Each structure stands twice: as structure tokens, then as C-alpha cells.
């Protein structure tokens, strides 16, 4: 029996790769323009990092982590998200505090043992940014605008940006208590999960996807009515700056996010063409996380965009990806002239050209078919009478024209 890919994982084939590269290139260009430096952290960490960082009452930590004991007896977890790892790395390397505002970006795989469905995988890719050191709502606007601009420059259509504020440690507890009381009054109308959430993490009843819960929570108290003066003023300024940047947004009190570390600003971006799993970006502020993980109090915020979903959405929207298809030259071989063919191929490649050659000694007809399939601009036929005069027959595949060209002139003609 053949071994198959693990459920919830998939291969990105060479045909698909240009799409991924395209999105990553757009992202890297945006990182550069906005001053975010890219970094990489390991794909696995001590389990404790996510329990502390992502939060004990989150679905991610409770149900979705790939956790195992390594041969040294350590509890290890494949990272379900990037933020706690970036914070850890910053604390460990002393990066935090190296600049008044530290801006970092990453692109990498994340792992969550979630129920696979369209747009939801157990291994998926995120593009993320994190900015440390400022509690000014101007940076909330910059980060949110960056996310929106990234989606726009990638070419996604039908974007919606939903924003909310979930307050701070001073104003949120009173709201959570009122929300819990509200939930208890309507407990028989909520789904089983939400009944459970009332004890552990009442905010999450607001983003439950079950219709019956959505009907109930329409009447629920709204956090924006409970914000303290500082949080309210922060949110008002954030909205004003977004308007100044011409970023269209909707205030949506249901956006509470599934991770425990958020404070104040939270946001999500959805795109057309994705069905139920339509969030392409999720992010927000997390002003207590650095301190909670052993650093100095440091305000921070960031977001992550799902690469898999971005590409699925572009495909669904009929987006035409720029492709760098085809090669410059296929070196066909006759009369067993593999030595000369290797030499020519090497010379052309060292001139920066993309070149493929025949390795199976097939008929010229079969080789020409391969050249077509590879979308070669030229075919250089090595061997035969021409070779004796130090020449190769060079065929322009577009015009069908064929000329004999001296061996050392082929690169010049191809580049011409
Ligand atoms: P998140 O909302 O859990 O946030 O994930 C961000 C994005 O990753 C989602 O909007 C979605 O596009 C993608 N995503 C999540 N789970 C899956 C999955 N199973 N399959 C495919 N795509 C998925 C975070 O991870 C936070 N660390 C974001 C952040 C950074 N907040 C502050 N800084």
C-alpha cells in the first residue's frame, strides 16, 4: 500500500509554486517599504510557550496542538501560531529594546489539529508581522493599513475589514461579567460549546458560528459600551487614523479573536470566494504578552494572514498569476554527443540562461516534443555534421527558423 500525505496536509506542486512565490514576493516588498525585517523561528517550541502565550482557555491550546514528548523527555509542540515564538525570540536575543519601535515579519508553516475542510488545514502557512514598543493608535492604523494594503496589492477582491476594541484589564472584566450573566439568562438557547465557554471564556460566545447562538448574542451587551476612557479614546483615534489613510472599515462587536493575549484593537479581514473559512487576516494589540512572558512591559501588536486561504481566494476569483513559464533553451542531443551537450548547457547556464538538456538519448522528434512541453524559446541541436565544424543547429521555436551557429556564439544569439 502506498503511503499518503497526512490528513489536513498537502503538497504544493511545481505548478502551484509560482502562485506561492508571487504572494510571498508581494509580502516581502511590503515588509521592506514599511520597515519590517524578516526573521525565522523554529517550527517547534517548548509546549509551555503556547500554554502561557496563546492562552490556556483557547481552542488552540485545549484541542488543537501537536504536542509530543521528545527523546529527551521534553514536552514539545509544533507551533500553532507565530506570535509567542517571536516574543520569546526577541526576549532571548535582546532584540527587544534595540529600537524604539521594533518591527518584525515572518513567513512560515503553522500546525493546528483542527477539523480539515476547504481553507482549513492542519499544516498551513502564515505571513505575519509584529511591532513592539508603541501604544500609540497611529501604529494600530499603520499595521491594519499594512494588512489591508497587502491583501489589495496581492490582488484580492471583495475585501472587508472588521475592527473592534476588546478593552484592557481594567475595563474588560466588568464587561465579561455582564456578558456571562447575559449568557446564563439564555443558557438553554446556546450550543453546548457556548455553555462551556460561559465559564471559561465568555467572549467567545460572540464569534460562535452556530445560528442559534448568533440569534441570542445579537441582543448581548456590547463591549464598546464598557470601554474605559483610555481605551475609548484609543479606539476613536485608531478609527480616525484609518479614515485619514482611506482604509474602509466596519466596527463589528463580534470580533473578539480566538487567542487570549489581545487587548484593545482587534481586527479581521475577509475576502470573497472562500465560503465559511473566509478570514484571510487576523490580528490585534497584545500589550501584556511581553511582560507575561518575562520581559519588561512592552506594548505590541501584529497580524497574520493565511497564505493557503489567500491563494484559494485568488483562484476562486479567477486571478491570473504572473508566471515565469518556459525556458530559454532545450539542448537536443543526436549521435550520442552528450559531452558536447553538457559543455554547451553549462556554458549557457553560466551566462544566466535557463537551459535543459536531453538525458535519455531519444529520437529528435521526441526531444522536440519535450522542448515544446517545456516551452523552450530555442532548441540547440548538438551532434551531427554541424558539430564537426564547431557549430550547432539553433532553432527558434516561435518562428521555426533554424540556423547553424558557432558553439561559442549560442549565448549571444539567445540573449539577442
Ligand atoms: P489567527 O486568526 O489564529 O491569528 O490566524 C491568522 C490567519 O491564519 C487566519 O485569518 C487564517 O487566514 C489563517 N489560518 C488560521 N488557521 C488556519 C488553518 N487551520 N488553515 C488555514 N489557514 C489558517 C494568529 O495566528 C495570530 N498569531 C495573529 C497575530 C499576530 N496577532 C497578533 N500578531
Amino acid at each position: 500500500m502506498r503511503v499518503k500525505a497526512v490528513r489536513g496536509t498537502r503538497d504544493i506542486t511545481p505548478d502551484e509554486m509560482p502562485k506561492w512565490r508571487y504572494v510571498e514576493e508581494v509580502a516581502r516588498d511590503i515588509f521592506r517599504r514599511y520597515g519590517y525585517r524578516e526573521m525565522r523561528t523554529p517550527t517547534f517550541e517548548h509546549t509551555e510557550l503556547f500554554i502561557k502565550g496563546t492562552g490556556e482557555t483557547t481552542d488552540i491550546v485545549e484541542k488543537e496542538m501537536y504536542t509530543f514528548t521528545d527523546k529527551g523527555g521534553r514536552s514539545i509542540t509544533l507551533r500553532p501560531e507565530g506570535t509567542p515564538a517571536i516574543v520569546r525570540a526577541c526576549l532571548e536575543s535582546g532584540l527587544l529594546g534595540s529600537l524604539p519601535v521594533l518591527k518584525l515579519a515572518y513567513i512560515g508553516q503553522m500546525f493546528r489539529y483542527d477539523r480539515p475542510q476547504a481553507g482549513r488545514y492542519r499544516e498551513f502557512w502564515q505571513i505575519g508581522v509584529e511591532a513592539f514598543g508603541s501604544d500609540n493608535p497611529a501604529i494600530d492604523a499603520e499595521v491594519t493599513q499594512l494588512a489591508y494594503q497587502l491583501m489589495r496589492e496581492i490582488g484580492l477582491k471583495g475585501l472587508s475589514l472588521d475592527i473592534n476594541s476588546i478593552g484592557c484589564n481594567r475595563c474588560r472584566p466588568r464587561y465579561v461579567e455582564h456578558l456571562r450573566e447575559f449568557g446564563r439568562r439564555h443558557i438553554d438557547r446556546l450550543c453546548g460549546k457556548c455553555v462551556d465557554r460561559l465559564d471559561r471564556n465568555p467572549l467567545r460566545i460572540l464569534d460562535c458560528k452556530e445560528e442559534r447562538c448568533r440569534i441570542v448574542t445579537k441582543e448581548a451587551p456590547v463591549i464598546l459600551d464598557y470601554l474605559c476612557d483610555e481605551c475609548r479614546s484609543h479606539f476613536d483615534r485608531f478609527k480616525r487614523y484609518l479614515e485619514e489613510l482611506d482604509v474602509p472599515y466596519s466596527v463589528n462587536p463580534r470580533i473578539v479573536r480566538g487567542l487570549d493575549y489581545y487587548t484593545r484593537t482587534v481586527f479581521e479581514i475577509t475576502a470573497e470566494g472562500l465560503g465559511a473559512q473566509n478570514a484571510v487576516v487576523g490580528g490585534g494589540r497584545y500589550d501584556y504578552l511581553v511582560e507575561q512572558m518575562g520581559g519588561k512591559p512592552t506594548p505590541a501588536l501584529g497580524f497574520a494572514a493565511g497564505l493557503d486561504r489567500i491563494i484559494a481566494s485568488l483562484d476562486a476569483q479567477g486571478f491570473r498569476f504572473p508566471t515565469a513559464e518556459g525556458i530559454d533553451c532545450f539542448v537536443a542531443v543526436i549521435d550520442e554527443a552528450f559531452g558536447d551537450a553538457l559543455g554547451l548547457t553549462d556554458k549557457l547556464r553560466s551566462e544566466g540562461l535557463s537551459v535543459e538538456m536531453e538525458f535519455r538519448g531519444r529520437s529528435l522528434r521526441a526531444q522536440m516534443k519535450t522542448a515544446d512541453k517545456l516551452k523552450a524559446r530555442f532548441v540547440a541541436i548538438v551532434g551531427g555534421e554541424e558539430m564537426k565544424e564547431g557549430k550547432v543547429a539553433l532553432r527558434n521555436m516561435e518562428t521555426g527558423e533554424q540556423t547553424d551557429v558557432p558553439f561559442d556564439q549560442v549565448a549571444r544569439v539567445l540573449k539577442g
Side-chain angles (χ1 to χ4, degrees):
M1 205 187 71
R2 262 192 294 174
V3 180
K4 297 232 175 88
V6 175
R7 186 167 142 79
T9 71
R10 67 224 172 100
D11 305 304
I12 302 161
T13 61
D15 285 343
E16 291 283 306
M17 268 315 289
K19 301 179 181 179
W20 290 71
R21 250 194 324 256
Y22 158 73
V23 175
E24 288 169 28
E25 272 164 24
V26 175
R28 290 202 167 96
D29 193 55
I30 290 229
F31 296 165
R32 179 185 64 77
R33 281 182 280 144
Y34 284 69
Y36 285 80
R37 289 181 298 153
E38 193 173 340
M39 71 178 286
R40 293 185 185 176
T41 61
T43 44
F44 55 87
E45 300 270 358
H46 291 291
T47 302
E48 200 192 336
L49 178 75
F50 301 109
I51 296 179
K52 267 197 194 158
T54 309
E56 248 167 317
T57 66
T58 59
D59 284 350
I60 293 180
V61 170
E62 283 188 344
K63 299 183 248 170
E64 298 172 3
M65 294 209 298
Y66 277 92
T67 298
F68 59 96
T69 307
D70 76 3
K71 291 191 198 316
R74 303 170 192 88
S75 178
I76 299 292
T77 293
L78 300 185
R79 62 178 179 199
E81 57 139 344
T83 309
I86 295 284
V87 173
R88 178 204 51 71
C90 285
L91 289 172
E92 210 168 320
S93 64
L95 263 170
L96 267 184
S98 62
L99 283 167
V101 174
L102 177 68
K103 292 173 161 185
L104 300 167
Y106 51 93
I107 300 180
Q109 293 107 307
M110 307 293 155
F111 307 85
R112 296 184 192 173
Y113 192 82
D114 204 345
R115 198 166 43 83
Q117 61 184 78
R120 199 202 276 155
Y121 303 97
R122 289 183 172 169
E123 180 187 38
F124 59 96
W125 288 74
Q126 283 187 345
I127 298 174
V129 311
E130 314 290 350
F132 298 92
S134 171
D135 61 4
N136 189 323
I139 198 159
D140 300 50
E142 188 201 65
V143 167
T144 311
Q145 194 254 356
L146 192 169
Y148 194 76
Q149 187 64 18
L150 174 60
M151 295 306 111
R152 229 176 10 200
E153 284 188 23
I154 284 169
L156 277 177
K157 296 264 173 354
L159 295 169
S160 312
L161 165 65
D162 282 13
I163 63 168
N164 192 19
S165 172
I166 56 167
C168 64
N169 280 354
R170 274 188 300 143
C171 53
R172 195 180 342 170
R174 194 167 73 93
Y175 171 69
V176 170
E177 241 355 276
H178 284 193
L179 184 64
R180 184 177 277 133
E181 279 164 25
F182 168 87
R184 290 212 172 112
R185 282 202 300 279
H186 300 279
I187 201 153
D188 44 350
R189 293 165 61 203
L190 294 173
C191 74
K193 273 193 193 162
C194 281
V195 171
D196 203 36
R197 284 175 181 139
L198 282 182
D199 282 332
R200 303 174 63 76
N201 194 351
L203 278 183
R204 294 306 309 277
I205 68 171
L206 296 173
D207 68 356
C208 181
K209 296 273 189 297
E210 295 273 341
E211 193 51 30
R212 53 200 270 206
C213 300
R214 294 189 84 83
I215 293 170
V216 174
T217 52
K218 250 191 205 150
E219 311 295 324
V222 171
I223 186 143
L224 294 174
D225 297 333
Y226 289 74
L227 296 183
C228 61
D229 289 346
E230 286 82 3
C231 288
R232 162 144 313 281
S233 145
H234 187 275
F235 192 53
D236 287 344
R237 285 169 65 200
F238 169 50
K239 288 188 293 185
R240 200 171 72 231
Y241 295 146
L242 282 182
E243 282 151 27
E244 273 167 30
L245 287 168
D246 279 331
V247 178
Y249 67 84
S250 318
V251 175
N252 180 350
R254 285 191 187 273
I255 304 290
V256 289
R257 310 279 299 132
L259 310 153
D260 276 358
Y261 46 65
Y262 290 112
T263 48
R264 293 189 168 169
T265 308
V266 284
F267 64 94
E268 284 183 7
I269 300 177
T270 54
E272 248 168 35
L274 276 177
Q277 302 300 320
N278 63 351
V280 281
V281 172
R285 185 169 269 289
Y286 49 95
D287 288 344
Y288 308 125
L289 184 62
V290 175
E291 189 180 4
Q292 209 176 299
M293 290 179 47
K296 286 197 208 125
T298 309
L301 77 167
F303 72 81
L307 249 165
D308 306 73
R309 288 190 195 169
I310 290 172
I311 289 164
S313 182
L314 288 171
D315 276 336
Q317 295 179 5
F319 181 77
R320 288 172 67 99
F321 288 89
T323 50
E325 271 199 0
I327 59 171
D328 293 314
C329 186
F330 183 81
V331 175
V333 184
I334 53 177
D335 298 340
E336 295 290 317
F338 287 103
D340 293 318
L342 275 170
L344 179 65
T345 302
D346 178 51
K347 192 170 158 52
L348 297 179
R349 284 178 181 156
S350 67
E351 296 273 347
L353 295 160
S354 57
V355 188
E356 194 44 274
M357 69 171 265
E358 169 67 8
F359 283 111
R360 291 178 57 158
R362 297 168 304 153
S363 71
L364 188 59
R365 215 176 110 91
Q367 296 187 47
M368 293 309 281
K369 265 196 189 159
T370 303
D372 253 344
K373 211 167 172 180
L374 294 172
K375 298 196 172 72
R377 287 196 300 122
F378 285 88
V379 174
I381 305 164
V382 177
E385 289 305 308
E386 295 87 353
M387 203 64 230
K388 288 181 192 142
E389 295 165 32
K391 289 182 176 170
V392 298
L394 192 64
R395 184 181 298 183
N396 181 324
M397 296 297 275
E398 205 182 313
T399 62
E401 208 181 315
Q402 185 165 319
T403 45
D404 292 347
V405 178
F407 203 85
D408 56 4
Q409 297 291 309
V410 180
R412 192 183 52 78
V413 177
L414 290 186
K415 285 182 167 179

